[in-house]
Amino acid sequence: MADISANFLGIKSPNPFWLASAPPTDKKINVLRAFEAGWGGVVWKTLGSQVKNVSSRYSAVNYNGSRIMGFNNIELISDRPLDINLREIEECIRLFPDRAMIVSLMADNTRESWHELIAKVEDTGAHGFELNFGCPHGMTERGMGAAVGQDPEIARMVVEWVMEKATIPVITKLTPNVHSVVPTGKAAVEAGTNALSLINTIQSVTGVDLDTFVPNPYVAGKSVFGGYCGPAVKPIALKFLATISQDPTTRQVPISGIGGISTWKDAVEFMLLGATTLQVCTAAMKHGFRIVEDMCEGLNNWMDEKGFATINDFIGLSVPTLTHWEDLDINYHHVAHINQDKCIHCGLCYIGCEDTSHQAINLSYGKPYNTYSIKEEECVGCNLCQLICPVEQCITMVEQRKGDEYLNWKDFQRLGLALNDH
Amino acid sequence: MSIQNNRLAPEAYERNFSDVHPPFDKKEAALVEANRCLFCYDAPCMKSCPTSIDVPKFIKQITTDNLKGSAHTILQSNIFGGGCSRVCPVEKLCEGSCVYNLMHEAPIPIAKLQRYATERAIAEKWQLFERKPSTGKKVAIVGAGPAGLSCAHALSAQGIDVTVFEKEARGGGLMTYGIAAYKVTPRFCQDEVDFITSLGGITIEYNRELGRDMSIPQLQDGFDAVFLGIGVGLARQLGIPGEHLDGVVDAIEFIYNLRSTSYSQVAVGDRVAVIGLGMTAIDAATQAKRLGATEVTIVYRRTQEEMPCTQVELDLAMLDGCRVLWLAAPKEVLGADGNVTGLVCSEMELGAADSSGRRSPVETSRTFALDVDMVIKAAGQMPFQSLVDAAGLENKGGRIVQANGATSVARVFAGGDCVNGGREVVDAVQAGKDGAAAILDYLRATEITSPDTAMEPSAFNNLAPALPDLS
């Protein structure tokens, strides 16, 4: 059995799965249920200035009959009184001393406010802070949340205020509502943050009601931009995470990965790109806390299979394989191959290639079943047909190098090699 | 022991004749199945449909909440798409070729989805088709069955004024009179006919029979063209002793009675033999059982390998408690006082393959007798030979010979069972479409639409929509 426990800046948790700062970590009853279910830690829903929430708060994007491919919220930070939150945090720590208790903070934009909030929260015995520089709605209008995270210099200033006061580890949470998370990440690291977490939600409009003409979620005939999360944002989160893992400054600190993590496989992907702990929200909101069971078991089995004893053995392992486009090997070539024994004759590969790609698939008419085969000389190896094919391992990509040696675009140009002729 | 009606309590009739393939309970259930559809290209299901319904498209349209579009997709290929979703032997057509079969997974329930998409269209009388302005051309159609009404709809849509002559009091043909009641209700059949004629330009004259009330020359005089969709009618005779006895009935007649009166009025024997194993034989056997017969035996002269009905249909009969005697051919109906008392059968064995490719049954010397009080003949139907001969139509054993829809008689076209000898409803619908296309060609009624006039570049100015005022 592999050891799946995490040690994040000395904050220990029996597994790397934390609940992200969000509605599931808003109060004691939820957090105790989460700990009972087996979650390794929680990031308590953001504490700070007093707010009031509206109804409704969430909306979603469904896809081909699957519900909540993407999820959107317009909820603000905790709207409960600070003293109740602090008392409950303390109780949760006392009842589950082996779990990580991180508290998310978003104070008013003054040094005093931050210092005051930090002192109060530290009194609960919390293990760490997460600075909410990412909330994209409601708080930004007051100069908080993403308004801080989108400006590296403001972020630097706030992190400096926090580090003056904090005596427990500080994680700075980054907003993805920027063209790059690296400048703010760098500023936070330079200002002394002990760790980074990302991503927060992405500004979105999930849809418009075709009867009322009002976008969702609906609040008395109006709506606002919300924060998008769930499985749909995972690829975007992984990209932002990778840039933090590549940058020489930001890669110095541990990272807590967030963004659409629903399964142990998602978690492993985040870890391979540099995350030490994983934060989950949407998947738990959709299925309940019990999903952590398979996340732990799946991670454990995968680590055993791969021979990894601890999670530190593979964190960041995939980062070096992400390179620059101009360093890719142009001589690498593969072509599609259709296994006729597995083919169900749905024709999806054919029409995708014929209409939108390279006309590299032959159609031989049959009634009712057509036969499809690859025109290898036309196939550019784009993967489209393989991605479309509904049958596992029916279309495979077979390597057919154009040359033995590694050849990148820079060399290609330097050597004056021939471009495509059709 | 006798042939009698009123065997069951009203609720038992109700239960026995309720929908054999119930529709989706609700939208979510339909969506689960619709979303499974892979949206195949040049889809095998579409190619296996005699009317070439674009199945992937109509299923996709269910998933996008475009039910109107979905119904239109179905009905523009098959105006009987609602009825066909209930009566088609889909296991050997669209569903039988669904690619999921090749993955050993359950095929998409295409018929059920088709019913889902068309049910509301018909019930709520959606106007999905628009008739072109009248061309002044007139076509007479004989028979308001699937072939005739399919032809009528296609012609009327193109502005042809259509008059349909129907010998029965209701339209729908075998859909209304010849198919098991647990598949389509009389109410549905009427709604479907009304839906088809709601296009306009179609007048049905009921209780008007060709050969009795009018002749083909008369129709030729009054109309620009004539389409015959007269179907087949007479049950094939067995040609054995005792066939005249009371208690020997035609399956078609038996089902006709069942479909035109209330179930409790239809008499059935205690012990019933059904001759034949086509779809009609199954419909007769199961319904005899459902009317309260204690024992129903299907007598078939070949083996399961050669049976014309589908496995799904056979299972339906077996689950109803019907028994099948394979390799048995009727030899003599036994009687007493003019009533059926038994059926003597020859044991058969399979010989060489015949013209249909199936092995022919050969009589052995062994016989056996069944103790029955009713014999239902369902060994196929005969074309209207004398009617066709009298009209001077070239035919093969009563089946009208046609080329591209046209018969040997000028301006007379034909299609459906009267041409093919009797196939599925869906085949008749396609034959009606083909007949309409042939007639339109003949009438040169298809008009060439001129392309839209090209716009002057200056006309593109000021085309941006004005966004609403935000103040």
Side-chain angles (χ1 to χ4, degrees):
Chain A
M1 284 280 278
D3 175 8
I4 62 167
S5 67
N7 183 343
F8 192 88
L9 302 163
I11 303 169
K12 291 179 181 158
S13 59
N15 61 60
F17 304 115
W18 298 353
L19 286 169
S21 166
T25 61
D26 186 32
K27 52 190 188 299
K28 180 177 138 186
I29 182 171
N30 302 92
V31 170
L32 291 184
R33 288 179 65 83
F35 285 159
E36 280 160 15
W39 288 85
V42 299
V43 183
W44 197 275
K45 187 170 164 81
T46 308
L47 307 181
S49 48
Q50 277 302 292
V51 299
K52 183 85 182 119
N53 277 302
V54 293
S55 170
S56 56
R57 302 180 188 181
Y58 309 141
S59 59
V61 174
N62 301 331
Y63 184 72
N64 277 4
S66 246
R67 298 188 78 80
I68 311 191
M69 175 192 77
F71 193 64
N72 173 70
N73 84 88
I74 59 167
E75 190 171 293
L76 304 183
I77 63 174
S78 176
D79 55 11
R80 309 173 72 214
L82 182 62
D83 56 330
I84 295 177
N85 273 305
L86 296 176
R87 191 171 65 237
E88 291 189 358
I89 289 168
E90 199 172 346
E91 285 169 13
C92 291
I93 294 169
R94 181 168 51 78
L95 290 167
F96 284 90
D98 65 328
R99 310 302 168 89
M101 173 62 76
I102 316 295
V103 179
S104 175
L105 303 180
M106 188 195 290
D108 289 332
N109 235 353
T110 65
R111 170 186 265 133
E112 294 68 38
S113 303
W114 279 98
H115 284 191
E116 191 186 338
L117 187 59
I118 287 166
K120 285 180 178 168
V121 176
E122 282 198 357
D123 284 345
T124 65
H127 307 122
F129 293 123
E130 184 180 78
L131 310 184
N132 183 344
F133 288 178
C135 181
H137 48 261
M139 308 311 290
T140 49
E141 291 86 333
R142 309 185 196 182
M144 292 185 272
V148 177
Q150 283 165 339
D151 186 330
E153 290 317 306
I154 297 177
R156 182 192 307 274
M157 177 179 74
V158 176
V159 173
E160 280 170 356
W161 293 340
V162 169
M163 300 318 292
E164 288 164 7
K165 184 71 179 174
T167 63
I168 55 177
V170 173
I171 308 166
T172 300
K173 184 170 179 176
L174 301 175
T175 175
N177 296 303
V178 288
H179 81 277
S180 168
V181 289
V182 173
T184 300
K186 262 171 91 168
V189 172
E190 284 161 4
T193 192
N194 304 107
L196 295 170
S197 62
L198 76 167
I199 60 172
N200 207 310
T201 56
I202 302 171
Q203 274 203 314
S204 69
V205 176
T206 46
V208 181
D209 187 302
L210 297 188
D211 296 317
T212 65
F213 312 132
V214 180
N216 49 47
Y218 176 95
V219 183
K222 300 282 183 188
S223 191
V224 291
F225 300 152
Y228 199 46
C229 55
V233 309
K234 190 190 93 172
I236 301 165
L238 285 175
K239 182 264 175 181
F240 278 130
L241 167 64
T243 60
I244 290 294
S245 298
Q246 288 171 324
D247 181 82
T249 304
T250 53
R251 68 183 317 205
Q252 302 299 324
V253 299
I255 305 164
S256 189
I258 315 166
I261 299 169
S262 309
T263 68
W264 67 268
K265 287 170 114 171
D266 298 332
V268 168
E269 289 172 328
F270 273 77
M271 295 168 105
L272 288 169
L273 287 176
T276 299
T277 60
L278 300 315
Q279 297 186 29
V280 177
C281 173
T282 308
M285 291 183 78
K286 186 178 174 194
H287 302 292
F289 292 139
R290 61 206 161 122
I291 58 167
V292 75
E293 295 167 23
D294 182 61
M295 296 181 101
C296 291
E297 291 165 24
L299 173 62
N300 211 314
N301 288 338
W302 179 81
M303 286 172 62
D304 283 349
E305 203 175 291
K306 297 291 175 191
F308 295 127
T310 74
I311 60 171
N312 294 325
D313 295 350
F314 63 91
I315 289 169
L317 209 59
S318 299
V319 176
T321 65
L322 272 170
T323 182
H324 299 289
W325 193 93
E326 60 185 17
D327 291 327
L328 292 173
D329 183 0
I330 289 176
N331 269 342
Y332 176 81
H333 186 64
H334 65 197
V335 295
H337 177 264
I338 300 173
N339 181 336
Q340 296 298 337
D341 293 336
K342 290 192 171 177
C343 178
I344 58 167
H345 315 282
C346 67
L348 296 177
C349 58
Y350 170 81
I351 198 59
C353 187
E354 194 70 11
D355 276 356
T356 70
S357 287
H358 298 273
Q359 298 76 45
I361 300 181
N362 285 307
L363 183 160
S364 165
Y365 186 82
K367 192 166 184 329
Y369 301 119
N370 299 340
T371 308
Y372 302 96
S373 57
I374 302 293
K375 298 177 207 166
E376 289 194 0
E377 67 286 2
E378 297 295 334
C379 178
V380 302
C382 71
N383 295 344
L384 179 66
C385 57
Q386 186 200 31
L387 296 171
I388 293 170
C389 179
V391 181
E392 195 82 8
Q393 289 293 308
C394 174
I395 298 185
T396 47
M397 305 305 293
V398 181
E399 190 168 329
Q400 287 185 1
R401 288 189 64 88
K402 295 284 190 190
D404 291 337
E405 72 291 352
Y406 163 80
L407 177 74
N408 66 31
W409 173 238
K410 287 171 284 188
D411 300 332
F412 194 92
Q413 284 177 301
R414 185 170 45 75
L415 297 168
L417 295 171
L419 295 168
N420 295 349
D421 59 2
H422 74 285
Chain B
M1 172 170 127
S2 64
I3 299 178
Q4 62 182 57
N5 58 19
N6 238 334
R7 286 171 176 268
L8 305 173
E11 51 274 18
Y13 283 117
E14 185 70 28
R15 187 173 61 244
N16 288 353
F17 289 92
S18 65
D19 225 324
V20 71
H21 299 301
F24 284 113
D25 239 7
K26 44 175 86 103
K27 180 180 164 186
E28 288 74 17
L31 284 180
V32 167
E33 292 298 340
N35 276 311
R36 283 178 66 224
C37 176
L38 296 173
F39 199 58
C40 293
Y41 171 73
D42 195 27
C45 51
M46 180 175 171
K47 287 200 266 183
S48 301
C49 173
T51 59
S52 308
I53 293 174
D54 192 338
V55 175
K57 181 177 171 184
F58 95 69
I59 293 179
K60 187 75 159 176
Q61 289 174 308
I62 291 175
T63 70
T64 69
D65 275 339
N66 182 7
L67 208 59
K68 206 162 264 182
S70 182
H72 182 263
T73 299
I74 294 162
L75 296 168
Q76 74 171 350
S77 285
N78 180 343
I79 197 64
F80 277 89
C84 282
S85 74
R86 291 158 166 84
V87 307
C88 258
V90 288
E91 58 275 12
K92 67 174 184 185
L93 299 172
C94 53
E95 290 182 21
S97 60
C98 174
V99 300
Y100 272 107
N101 292 302
L102 303 175
M103 289 197 275
H104 306 288
E105 297 281 342
I108 302 296
I110 297 169
K112 208 169 172 181
L113 288 166
Q114 183 169 317
R115 175 167 175 177
Y116 176 78
T118 52
E119 200 146 49
R120 271 183 64 197
I122 293 171
E124 296 173 16
K125 302 180 170 57
W126 290 350
Q127 283 303 312
L128 299 172
F129 301 95
E130 202 174 332
R131 186 172 187 248
K132 284 188 181 164
S134 176
T135 59
K137 302 279 186 192
K138 295 195 298 178
V139 171
I141 291 177
V142 185
L149 289 185
S150 152
C151 183
H153 192 270
L155 287 174
S156 180
Q158 297 301 320
I160 309 292
D161 297 325
V162 179
T163 305
V164 185
F165 298 94
E166 168 57 49
K167 67 176 177 181
E168 300 292 343
R170 284 184 284 166
L174 282 188
M175 186 78 105
T176 300
Y177 291 106
I179 285 173
Y182 51 73
K183 291 181 183 165
V184 274
T185 62
R187 170 69 199 273
F188 173 79
C189 291
Q190 187 59 51
D191 287 350
E192 185 162 56
V193 170
D194 292 345
F195 179 80
I196 294 168
T197 55
S198 71
L199 174 69
I202 304 171
T203 308
I204 307 184
E205 297 197 6
Y206 290 109
N207 302 306
R208 298 261 277 153
E209 185 173 354
L210 182 65
R212 188 190 72 189
D213 304 313
M214 72 278 179
S215 66
I216 287 180
Q218 283 171 338
L219 295 176
Q220 283 172 304
D221 280 350
F223 296 89
D224 296 297
V226 179
F227 178 81
L228 301 177
I230 56 177
V232 287
L234 315 167
R236 191 181 302 280
Q237 296 306 296
L238 302 173
I240 58 174
E243 196 167 356
H244 63 282
L245 289 164
D246 278 351
V248 179
V249 300
D250 291 352
I252 292 297
E253 185 188 326
F254 176 67
I255 296 170
Y256 178 95
N257 288 337
L258 216 144
R259 295 299 307 269
S260 32
T261 49
S262 63
Y263 302 129
S264 61
Q265 296 305 303
V266 183
V268 69
D270 269 336
R271 289 202 289 277
V272 179
V274 176
I275 316 293
L277 194 49
M279 296 300 210
T280 302
I282 298 285
D283 283 357
T286 49
Q287 293 192 113
K289 199 84 174 75
R290 286 165 190 239
L291 283 172
T294 41
E295 201 177 283
V296 173
T297 307
I298 297 170
V299 176
Y300 181 55
R301 60 198 182 123
R302 308 190 204 224
T303 71
Q304 196 162 351
E305 287 279 296
E306 294 85 19
M307 69 178 183
C309 73
T310 64
Q311 185 64 42
V312 171
E313 291 286 314
L314 180 66
D315 290 345
L316 197 62
M318 300 288 233
L319 286 169
D320 273 1
C322 301
R323 181 166 70 125
V324 183
L325 291 180
W326 306 101
L327 290 167
K331 194 175 173 64
E332 183 183 356
V333 184
L334 304 175
D337 305 328
N339 296 316
V340 173
T341 58
L343 178 69
V344 177
C345 297
S346 295
E347 282 184 31
M348 311 295 277
E349 57 190 27
L350 288 182
D354 64 11
S355 59
S356 71
R358 297 182 300 178
R359 294 178 66 190
S360 293
V362 179
E363 195 171 343
T364 67
S365 57
R366 297 180 298 280
T367 63
F368 62 92
L370 291 173
D371 189 11
V372 297
D373 51 18
M374 187 179 194
V375 175
I376 301 178
K377 298 184 286 186
Q381 285 168 263
M382 303 293 286
F384 294 106
Q385 173 106 47
S386 54
L387 185 67
V388 168
D389 281 338
L393 290 157
E394 188 187 339
N395 65 82
K396 276 185 188 156
R399 286 183 294 155
I400 301 169
V401 172
Q402 53 94 25
N404 294 328
T407 68
S408 58
V409 176
R411 293 192 288 123
V412 177
F413 299 76
D417 283 359
C418 65
V419 167
N420 63 36
R423 282 161 79 173
E424 309 300 339
V425 171
V426 65
D427 294 299
V429 174
Q430 183 58 33
K433 281 162 63 185
D434 292 342
I439 291 169
L440 288 169
D441 272 353
Y442 167 73
L443 297 174
R444 302 179 200 285
T446 44
E447 287 170 26
I448 300 158
T449 51
S450 54
D452 290 342
T453 318
M455 277 170 88
E456 285 297 314
S458 61
F460 295 118
N461 299 338
N462 304 317
L463 282 183
L467 292 173
D469 189 357
L470 291 177
S471 57

